[in-house]
Amino acid sequence: MLTRLPKRATLAFAFIGVGLMLYCWHISTQIDKRFSARRWSIPSRVFSDITVVYPGQRINRGFFHEKLARLGYREVFRQPERKGELQASATAINLFLHDLKVPYRKRDGFAVRIKFLRDRIESIVRLDKGEPLAILELEPEQIMLFFGPEREQRQLVSLDQVPKNLILAILAAEDSRFYRHHGFDAKGILRALYTNLRHLAIRQGGSTITQQLVKSYFLTPKRTLPRKLKELLMALTMEVMYDKNEILEIYLNEIYLGQKASVSINGVGEASYFYFGKPVSELSITQAALIAGLIKAPNYYSPYVHKERCLNRRNTVLRAMHKNGWISDEELRAALPSTANTVGFHVYGKKAPYFMDYLSAQLQTLYPTEALASLGLSIYTTLDTQVQMAAERALKRGLARLERSNPALNRTEPEKKLQGAIIVMQPKTGSILAMVGGRHYSVSQFNRITQARRQPGSVFKPFVFVSALDEFTPASMLSNEPRCYVVNGTSWQPQNYEHISEDRVSLRCALAKSVNRATVDLAMQVGLDRIVNTAKAFGFSTPVKPYPSLALGAFEVIPLELARAYCAFAADGVQPYPLSLREVLDENGKILERRHMTIARVISHAKAFIINSMLQSAVTEGTGRFLKHMGISFPLAGKTGTTNSFKDAWFVGYTPDILALVWVGFDDGASIHAPGSRAALPIWADFIKAIPEHVSGAGFRMPPGVVRRIVCPQSGDLAVANGCPEPVEEFFLADNVPMSYCPLHQSVDPFRRIIKGVRDVIENYYRFPDK
């Protein structure tokens, strides 16, 4: 009987051994499956466009400083020595640039001095070489992360990128015998048990780094004996399957190290930026010890919440490093008194939210939501964050000003308050620089730039006038007399917003002063079907019907399409497609997607110039003339718009370099009791003054196919020398120039008039160069 017991025990142990081996094989397949696949879900990052600065450029100093702060530059009171440091004075900024890494180019950071002269950049000098720079590019700004359900933020690092001090600090804090055990440390458990009993409190844990990794990847936090046994077996199995350095690298990228609102900070790469604003490779001994000390309880020891508690924990790690012989006596003495100089952080919030919604809709046609949340893509956009900030602030101030000036506009319910929207584009490329789709994104996510349908009112008039340029000229005369039109058996009579006493006005005057009667007269002479075709050619997708009221913008448009249509005037007759996405790169920097500029010619350069010239008159002497009282003195073209009962107020203003559309109104169509010149135009002026770097002051270049002539503004014909009392210069298409002289003012010298007339006829016939 006694001899059978050892045999049974041996058999039992054999069964147990085989069972453990089978179980370990089973969990090895789990580990292999988990680690051979994508180990982490890395949220895709969305970036703004780069910022270019150069000597002679006008600049908004306040916006520029805010830009640098958002890019993570830290102010110091000495010459910058490390990347990301900034020293500012009243006349200059010394800046140690971050590395620049964007598609197709990379640049290491270096120190520069940017010197200012009032509102301009006077010079940019590279400090290490003392050489002037003609241009400087600042890195793009991160504007959004596509989070998965875990909302984890991390920057992956290889073990080679992690400084030795950080590795030693983490080993000292968590597992000093990591390279001497096989996943389970009996000595460590006994030491922790002794320390905890001696202090009658939990002072140390016995889990190795491998065990911690197992818990993070495979197990629940629930503490039970079966779970602990599984943890032990998985740790032992993992140590057989992977070498120590690979396990440590996975651990360094996995560990939880803090919280930024609802976003968790994972891995030492992300923690280094979160706490110290620098790459992990640049951490000092004290910074490394602080991060290592957080692993035990990141929020309990957070330097942003409990600085003194954090310092005590950091010093414990430093002493452990010294005890293990990993730092010297001198290094310990120097490190213990130092403070925890963290960089601070901004709670995550989606910047430019309406733009991001517009971009996200495009991205989701290319990538599923799960891919955006896990593949770690880098998405580069056209957004200019300084232009976006200027637009948001101008809209906020402008709507508040309108409510103060007219208490009837105030509404208590947030979702019913006065609304507005702004879209800013580069006319020649279609790049969207800024998009503000409403007053408060948190209240309403409805994007009034891309989703709203509103009547454009008078901002549609340029499309009526461009339809007429083959038969009419800016000097042609139109009727301003009252006239009744019958549409489907119903009479309709257009009225002018402002009193115009003349019975006839020129095309230039009719567009500049937004004369409704004359505009409808022009539309009826040109033909409503032609105007409908023009609207379609300019990309309006909403239904347009050939009614006389079409001339006054009495149909609905999408504001983004209206802005795009105006781009064709600013871009010399070439219309771009709205561009928000530039490139998409994978986590290794390979370009997956690149969006190219898409353009199409819709009118000739000459016709675009004629419309621009007339719309310049609109801002100098017409409905936009108040701009000169708001500090706007550079050349521009633009048009105000107001709909019936003041339901909508518009202003579209542009130069060859930038175009901005502003809309103001109520979502329910209630009256705002103000025209576009009082509601939308001041917002546009406030906005454009905040971005001087985008205003070059260049005007519209007169192209071939356009000629100048002196005409009589009363008749629209060529001016008679010494006859017409107030002759003016006018632009004409070269193949549509008036041939006759003003019949209202006869010259006192008929012979001279005949000779001059013959010469002008010959010149026009052969299209001699304009004198």
Side-chain angles (χ1 to χ4, degrees), residues 40 48 72 118 238 272 354 425 761:
W40 298 282
S48 72
R118 292 183 291 276
M238 189 181 291
S272 181
Y354 293 103
M425 300 176 71
V761 167

Side-chain angles (χ1 to χ4, degrees), residues 307-353:
K307 185 161 285 190
E308 184 177 352
R309 189 184 294 164
C310 174
L311 288 175
N312 290 336
R313 175 62 182 162
R314 181 204 67 181
N315 291 344
T316 299
V317 175
L318 288 168
R319 292 188 184 98
M321 294 175 72
H322 178 262
K323 183 178 178 181
N324 282 283
W326 294 336
I327 60 174
S328 65
D329 295 343
E330 292 76 15
E331 287 174 317
L332 180 63
R333 281 195 295 269
L336 289 176
S338 65
T339 57
N341 295 318
T342 50
V343 293
F345 69 93
H346 298 285
V347 173
Y348 174 78
K350 187 162 63 173
K351 300 173 186 176

